[in-house]
Amino acid sequence: MISGSLLKTSILANRHLLRLGQGEKALATEKSFSKVGRVNHMLQKRLDRLSEVAALAKSLNVAGDHGYTCETADLFFKHTVRLRWEKFLDSIKREKDKGVQELFPFGQFFPDAPFSQDESARELNVKIASDCYDYILGVFKEVEECRAMELLRNNKDRGDYLLCKQARIIAMTCTHAAMRRDEFIRLGLRYDSLVMEEAGQVLEIETLIPMLLQKPDNPSSGSPLKRVVLVGDHNQLPPIVKNPALQKYARMSQSLFSRLIRLGNPAICLDKQGRARPELADLYRWRYDKLEDLGMLADGSAAAYKLGNPGFVHDFQLIDVGNLDTESAPVPFFYQNIVEAEYIAALYQYMRLLGYQAEKITVLTTYNGQKHLLKDVISARIQWNPSIGMPSKISTVDKYQGRQNDYVLLSLVRTRNVGHIRDVRRLVVALSRARLGLYMFCRKELFESCLELAPAFKLLSARFEDSTRRIPRFTISASHR
């Protein structure tokens, strides 16, 4: 997720990020980026910065409660701090016989400032003093940003202020944008750039909604929106349309992203991948015109990709569950396969006992019924040792698009017919979620006979045959039973 990636960088201060809707709960952070969370953050920041203002006033021996409110802090800056800095700049030009540290007015506030005692390092000391003053400017700038928190008396108004005036990046789903569109227009939300993630999986009409969340200042001038960036993969899953007639004949399953690609609009296609081992990428490389590996993968310099998977002969493998008809459906279309569920539960326990971290393992399946069965079976099998814990995620392939993990255990469920994994785009999603290891459970004879899936299952079957040759064969005589 883009919003999750931004939290790991220092490109933008956290106070300028805002996440609307229920997706805020999915962010892998202890901080809250919802409206309420950001308001509480700003209120706490106000207290922290005002305490620094009070400490600065004390270090300057200036009487008065200058850290009481943002307004008193602003007056203190204008009438005391800024004047003393200007006096300091004038002094270092006139009184060259005195050291910078001696003239610096904020020395008591910065007792650990690394001033040099060497007289020849005057320019360096001036730079250090300037850096200290920049820090003070930053404190008062943040105090000014918090001033609205004093003037607005309830959290709703404070949240709306942060949304419209302070947030530089606002993250939300298209559904949330549709639900809150009238409110955004009433508040006068303004933005000139729109980035849409997983655009290939969004309905065409839903793609247009985020472009219409603001009123133009002048009806004749058009929308203030200047640029729209659609990020996605038309080789992966399309939008979900449950009505077959609308999906097939109205082509509602075609996203705006896919339409633009099909019409030949200029697009930037990434031709290198850095997510998975090259061997894993070979499973879906055939679906792209040109997909190579980043240099760190090609030359083996990436540490995580140099080592094999402990306890496994291969980094990806097909596990044949046999030709038994183990598929069931307690209710229509709620497909389950107890044999594959038991296989995956056993393999998961094996990996945990070998030392694999639970948060590095994801269990995927192609059907909702199997997802619920897997949760029940795994939770039942680990009762003997609760420290094993549940996997990072047990999900369907469709819901896991756009995410990844180091190791993926995949259940294809069906034993009578191929099912909707016949859609190659769904297969690409399933095969491309793993970075270091992929272990697939299915009825081999059924899926390798499917023409649409042949390029991937040719590699999987070859790995399967190699694995069976490595397994030693034992003969058990009756006397040893």
Side-chain angles (χ1 to χ4, degrees), residues 368-436:
N368 240 339
Q370 184 73 349
K371 179 190 75 172
H372 292 287
L373 179 62
L374 283 165
K375 288 182 178 179
D376 293 340
V377 171
I378 293 177
S379 61
R381 295 296 173 266
I382 66 173
Q383 284 182 350
W384 66 275
N385 189 355
S387 63
I388 290 179
M390 293 293 285
S392 168
K393 190 75 174 177
I394 300 178
S395 177
T396 60
V397 171
D398 295 37
K399 291 290 185 182
Y400 206 70
Q401 179 167 330
R403 304 173 70 179
Q404 64 183 21
N405 209 342
D406 286 356
Y407 307 97
V408 170
L409 311 182
L410 176 62
S411 169
L412 297 188
V413 185
R414 305 301 295 274
T415 58
R416 299 170 190 168
N417 56 66
V418 174
H420 62 199
I421 197 69
R422 186 184 295 273
D423 187 338
V424 179
R425 295 171 295 186
R426 183 170 282 105
L427 177 70
V428 169
V429 175
L431 298 179
S432 61
R433 299 307 96 196
R435 294 179 61 247
L436 303 178

Side-chain angles (χ1 to χ4, degrees), residues 4-44:
S5 300
L6 284 170
L7 299 180
K8 301 176 183 179
T9 67
S10 57
I11 298 174
L12 201 66
N14 285 346
R15 66 180 183 276
H16 293 142
L17 299 176
L18 185 63
R19 181 66 167 92
L20 303 179
Q22 296 300 314
E24 193 268 339
K25 299 177 181 178
L27 296 179
T29 175
E30 295 179 357
K31 300 176 182 177
S32 175
F33 288 85
S34 64
K35 272 188 178 182
V36 174
R38 290 297 86 193
V39 167
N40 291 337
H41 170 76
M42 292 300 292
L43 291 174
Q44 183 59 48

Side-chain angles (χ1 to χ4, degrees), residues 130-244:
S130 179
D131 290 342
C132 292
Y133 184 67
D134 287 342
Y135 176 82
I136 293 175
L137 288 179
V139 170
F140 283 99
K141 182 180 179 181
E142 292 188 17
V143 167
E144 183 62 28
E145 290 178 351
C146 297
R147 192 168 184 175
M149 301 296 106
E150 292 181 347
L151 302 176
L152 300 171
R153 305 312 300 173
N154 63 73
N155 283 350
K156 183 181 183 307
D157 291 340
R158 290 168 175 165
D160 291 342
Y161 172 82
L162 294 178
L163 170 68
C164 297
K165 299 297 182 182
Q166 195 174 98
R168 295 185 184 178
I169 295 181
I170 304 169
M172 71 182 86
T173 63
C174 292
T175 302
H176 188 81
M179 293 169 56
R180 306 289 294 276
R181 180 176 178 270
D182 291 342
E183 180 181 347
F184 293 144
I185 291 176
R186 177 179 58 80
L187 293 173
L189 179 64
R190 284 289 178 269
Y191 57 96
D192 57 12
S193 299
L194 173 65
V195 179
M196 190 169 298
E197 187 184 19
E198 292 295 341
Q201 205 180 11
V202 181
L203 287 171
E204 193 165 16
I205 186 64
E206 284 186 316
T207 308
L208 301 176
I209 293 172
M211 304 180 192
L212 304 171
L213 301 181
Q214 52 188 339
K215 275 187 177 180
D217 297 325
N218 184 357
S220 62
S221 64
S223 173
L225 189 61
K226 296 179 180 178
R227 63 189 67 84
V228 177
V229 180
L230 302 180
V231 182
D233 187 350
H234 57 289
N235 288 312
Q236 295 188 16
L237 286 173
I240 298 174
V241 179
K242 294 185 178 181
N243 188 302

Side-chain angles (χ1 to χ4, degrees), residues 184-470:
F184 293 144
I185 291 176
R186 177 179 58 80
L187 293 173
L189 179 64
R190 284 289 178 269
Y191 57 96
D192 57 12
S193 299
L194 173 65
V195 179
M196 190 169 298
E197 187 184 19
E198 292 295 341
Q201 205 180 11
V202 181
L203 287 171
E204 193 165 16
I205 186 64
E206 284 186 316
T207 308
L208 301 176
I209 293 172
M211 304 180 192
L212 304 171
L213 301 181
Q214 52 188 339
K215 275 187 177 180
D217 297 325
N218 184 357
S220 62
S221 64
S223 173
L225 189 61
K226 296 179 180 178
R227 63 189 67 84
V228 177
V229 180
L230 302 180
V231 182
D233 187 350
H234 57 289
N235 288 312
Q236 295 188 16
L237 286 173
I240 298 174
V241 179
K242 294 185 178 181
N243 188 302
L246 293 177
Q247 178 183 5
K248 184 174 182 180
Y249 299 109
R251 300 206 61 164
M252 286 190 68
S253 62
Q254 177 178 247
S255 64
L256 178 62
F257 180 86
S258 298
R259 179 191 290 272
L260 295 174
I261 295 291
R262 184 174 60 85
L263 293 177
N265 282 270
I268 299 174
C269 296
L270 303 182
D271 57 1
K272 293 184 184 293
Q273 70 89 22
R275 167 188 286 172
R277 298 181 189 268
E279 297 82 6
L280 288 175
D282 290 339
L283 293 172
Y284 50 88
R285 202 187 303 273
W286 54 276
R287 277 293 292 171
Y288 299 86
D289 294 333
K290 181 183 178 184
L291 182 62
E292 300 176 352
D293 301 312
L294 289 176
M296 65 177 184
L297 300 181
D299 60 17
S301 61
Y305 302 93
K306 288 182 179 179
L307 305 175
N309 297 336
F312 294 93
V313 175
H314 302 295
D315 44 24
F316 74 85
Q317 190 172 338
L318 184 151
I319 296 92
D320 184 14
V321 299
N323 294 326
L324 298 175
D325 183 9
T326 54
E327 172 190 322
S328 62
V331 295
F333 308 109
F334 198 75
Y335 296 108
Q336 296 180 336
N337 189 320
I338 185 62
V339 172
E340 290 185 13
E342 293 286 2
Y343 262 115
I344 287 180
L347 181 58
Y348 173 69
Q349 293 178 82
Y350 171 72
M351 294 178 71
R352 292 289 291 125
L353 291 173
L354 286 178
Y356 287 87
Q357 299 178 31
E359 59 267 22
K360 299 292 185 182
I361 304 173
T362 292
V363 177
L364 295 182
T365 180
T366 48
Y367 289 93
N368 240 339
Q370 184 73 349
K371 179 190 75 172
H372 292 287
L373 179 62
L374 283 165
K375 288 182 178 179
D376 293 340
V377 171
I378 293 177
S379 61
R381 295 296 173 266
I382 66 173
Q383 284 182 350
W384 66 275
N385 189 355
S387 63
I388 290 179
M390 293 293 285
S392 168
K393 190 75 174 177
I394 300 178
S395 177
T396 60
V397 171
D398 295 37
K399 291 290 185 182
Y400 206 70
Q401 179 167 330
R403 304 173 70 179
Q404 64 183 21
N405 209 342
D406 286 356
Y407 307 97
V408 170
L409 311 182
L410 176 62
S411 169
L412 297 188
V413 185
R414 305 301 295 274
T415 58
R416 299 170 190 168
N417 56 66
V418 174
H420 62 199
I421 197 69
R422 186 184 295 273
D423 187 338
V424 179
R425 295 171 295 186
R426 183 170 282 105
L427 177 70
V428 169
V429 175
L431 298 179
S432 61
R433 299 307 96 196
R435 294 179 61 247
L436 303 178
L438 172 67
Y439 302 97
M440 178 189 296
F441 297 82
C442 67
R443 182 180 176 185
K444 174 176 172 291
E445 181 182 357
L446 172 66
F447 288 94
E448 70 177 359
S449 64
C450 178
L451 184 62
E452 293 88 345
L453 312 182
F457 272 85
K458 182 179 179 180
L459 295 174
L460 289 163
S461 297
R463 186 62 62 86
F464 172 80
E465 298 298 335
D466 180 64
S467 301
T468 55
R469 284 195 298 270
R470 290 171 180 262

